[in-house]
Structure formats: structure tokens, C-alpha cells
Amino acid sequence: MKFNTKAIHAGQEPEETSGAVMPPIFQTSTYAQQAPGVNKGHEYARVTNPTRTALEKLIAGLEDADQCACFASGCAAMDAVIKMFRPGDHVIASDDLYGGTYRLFREVFEPYNIRFSFVDMTDTDTVQEAITPDTKLIWIETPTNPILRVVDIEAVTEIARDKDIWTVVDNTFASPYLQKPLNLGADAVLHSTTKYLGGHSDVIGGAVASSNEEIMEKLRFQVKTTGAVPGPMDCYLTLRGIKTLHVRVQRSVENARQVAKFLDAHPEVDQVNYPGLPSHPQHQIAKKQMSDFGAMVSFSLKDDSVETAQNFMAQTDIFLLAESLGGVESLISHPASMTHASIPKEVREAAGLKDSLIRLSVGIEDGDDLVKDLEQAF
Ligand code: PLP
């Protein structure tokens, strides 16, 4: 089955009792048992719920994975991944990643003595050098949030495989429509389903998909034991959103290309970060591992100050000032004071995140209108 067909049908069957084409929202906390342990596949809704199962099968299908576990948010999914490890274990992550990931690693897990190295993952030698005998995981985010660097998934996963280190790719920015990390060698793929998969800025969720039995067993244990699960209504909304994933992302990418070209030619813009621009340092890697370049664009201004960036953002009408991304509507945000405010200024600057950096999540509106909106904001 090709992707567009999978987005509608992967793992989906009409509901058994009624023939409903969409899975019902199974709003129940528990299930009747015929005798203790004898049931119709579900015992208690923290562990499984049929609406959630339908969503998990769909995401597994899109990521070419055997299994998927859904969580209450992308952060809950990340939390479950790191809880697979033990005090003394070491994780390598990129130095340019979602601020909430950085906060979770540094402020929640480091005090429990899981250790993290944040490195420039676009340089595979640096990754190699960061490996210690305790390294258990390499955490890849690509394209990165918010600088849109691209990590060579095949190259990094190859280094890890040689040393029995697991690799997880946060595929939130690309979506499985544009990038399939498992086919490039990763052991697991993670999503904030809040973003492109849900696609309508109306639900929070997370997911991890993998064909590695040991990883999925550990994650299912987390689901059952810590219970950070999405409710059935949230699963339904995410599932409904995924059915148009390919159509939405395709249109968003076309618009992002137009917006990136416009910004790249603008005299007040210092640098545009978009993997689709031939000037992007990892353009060739993006071309190799992504089927298109995504709909996230970030740019810095020649007048590199927080005030100039905030003044610019105050002028846009269609681009709404808001955190998050991947919805049908275009959003504008200022990472240094919003999504990445939890990263200390010196760490941010060392990773190249400038004060004036503005991040755009390009939606599915008319591309000409989006460009006009930015033009008048300058
Ligand atoms: N991963 C990335 C790349 C993100 O951008 C985000 C949120 O912005 C997350 C994970 C966390 O997801 P959630 O907000 O669903 O907890």
C-alpha cells in the first residue's frame, strides 16, 4: 500500500458490531469480563482502549513499524522513552532541539543520574566522540526545532548500531509523509501528534512507533504502569486528522517553499533556515532522506534583537502569534522568548539560536496571501 492509501486505511477495519467506518469513541474506563482474565481483548482503559488501538495501528502503518504506543502528549512519549533507562546510563542528544525536550532531560532525568551530552549532530565525528561505555541511546531530532538543521539519520544510526546503542528519531517536524526514520535505520520514531498528525491545533498527544520488540515491551510497561495515556476523544481527533495528513502537508510544503524564497531575497533578513534552499548547509542530506523539505521555516533579522523580532511579529495578520506548529493555520513564534525560553541564553546562543530568530509554521492558506502578510509586516 502506498502512503496516501495507508493514511486512510492502515490497520483500520469497520467497527465489528455496527459497521461504523470511523472507530467509535469508546468512552469507558473498564470492560466486562466473561470470567477473570477471559475478555474481548481489553481489561482496563489505562492499558488499552479500542479507539487508541485504532490510532496506534494507523501510526504504525504510516511509519512502517510493527507497533505503536500512544501517549497523552509528545512530552509524555519522550518521558516514557527515557524511563527505559537506568541511573548511570548515558544519552547523546543534539544541541539544537525542542526546548521542552532539553528541559525534560536536564531538569527531570539528570537529577536521577541519567546523563546527557548535547552535541552538534550534523557532525558525525562529534557524535562518535561523545559515545562512552554507558551510552544507551542517541536521540535525534531532524529537522531540528527551531534552526531546521538536518541530521543524517543513516550515518548516525550506523554508528549506533555498531555499538548496540538504540536510536530514537523525533519525527515531529517532518511527519511520516516526508521522512521515515525506521527505514533509514532508527530503532524507534517519536511524534508529538499534537502537530502534523493531528493537524488542526485541537488536540495534544504523543506516539512512539517501532518494530523492536524489546523497546515496545518496555514502552507498553510504561503505558500500563505510569498511565500517561490519551483519552478516547483525543485519539479519535488525531485519527481523523491523520486521514488528511498527506494532502495538508503537501500544500503546506508548497507554501513554505514560496515563503522561504521570499524571505531569502528580503534585504532585512539575515539568514533563512529552510532545508529546501540550496544554500542550506544540509540541503543534500535533506534531499536524500526526505521526500520534500517540510513546512517549518525560521529566519533571523539583520537587526538582531528581541525587540525587532517582537515588533515584526506584532504586525502579521494571517500568521498568528502562538506556540506549536503543524496545524492548518500559519503560526509565527519567537523561540528565544517562547518555545525555547527554558534553554539558558548562553546555551541557546552557542547552538546558533539568535535573539531575532523567528519561527514560522506554514499552513495551508493561499501562498500569495502568506507572502503578502510577511511583506507588509516588514
Ligand atoms: N517534539 C518536538 C519537535 C516538538 O516541537 C514538541 C512540541 O512542540 C514536542 C516534541 C512535545 O510535544 P507536546 O507538546 O505534544 O508535548
Side-chain angles (χ1 to χ4, degrees), residues 263 269 271-273 298-301 312 356-358 360 378:
L263 290 169
V269 171
Q271 192 184 327
V272 180
N273 305 310
S298 67
F299 62 103
S300 53
L301 299 169
F312 178 85
S356 69
L357 190 85
I358 292 172
L360 304 176
F378 280 110

Side-chain angles (χ1 to χ4, degrees), residues 73-75 98 141 145 170 172-173 192 194-195 205 325:
S73 68
C75 284
Y98 169 55
E141 186 182 297
N145 180 359
D170 184 336
T172 299
F173 262 39
S192 164
T194 312
K195 311 298 183 328
L325 59 116

Side-chain angles (χ1 to χ4, degrees), residues 305-378:
S305 73
V306 171
E307 295 70 37
T308 318
Q310 290 184 344
N311 286 341
F312 178 85
M313 294 188 301
Q315 302 302 320
T316 58
D317 293 324
I318 299 175
F319 281 89
L320 291 176
L321 176 65
E323 297 200 355
S324 204
L325 59 116
V328 288
E329 62 287 298
S330 292
L331 301 180
I332 189 166
S333 68
H334 182 240
S337 62
M338 296 168 74
T339 44
H340 292 65
S342 56
I343 302 179
K345 187 173 160 68
E346 61 284 3
V347 179
R348 250 194 285 122
E349 284 178 351
L353 201 167
K354 293 186 169 178
D355 277 351
S356 69
L357 190 85
I358 292 172
R359 190 187 81 176
L360 304 176
S361 170
V362 181
I364 66 170
E365 301 94 336
D366 188 278
D368 292 342
D369 286 340
L370 295 178
V371 167
K372 263 190 222 147
D373 193 33
L374 296 172
E375 201 165 24
Q376 61 79 33
F378 280 110

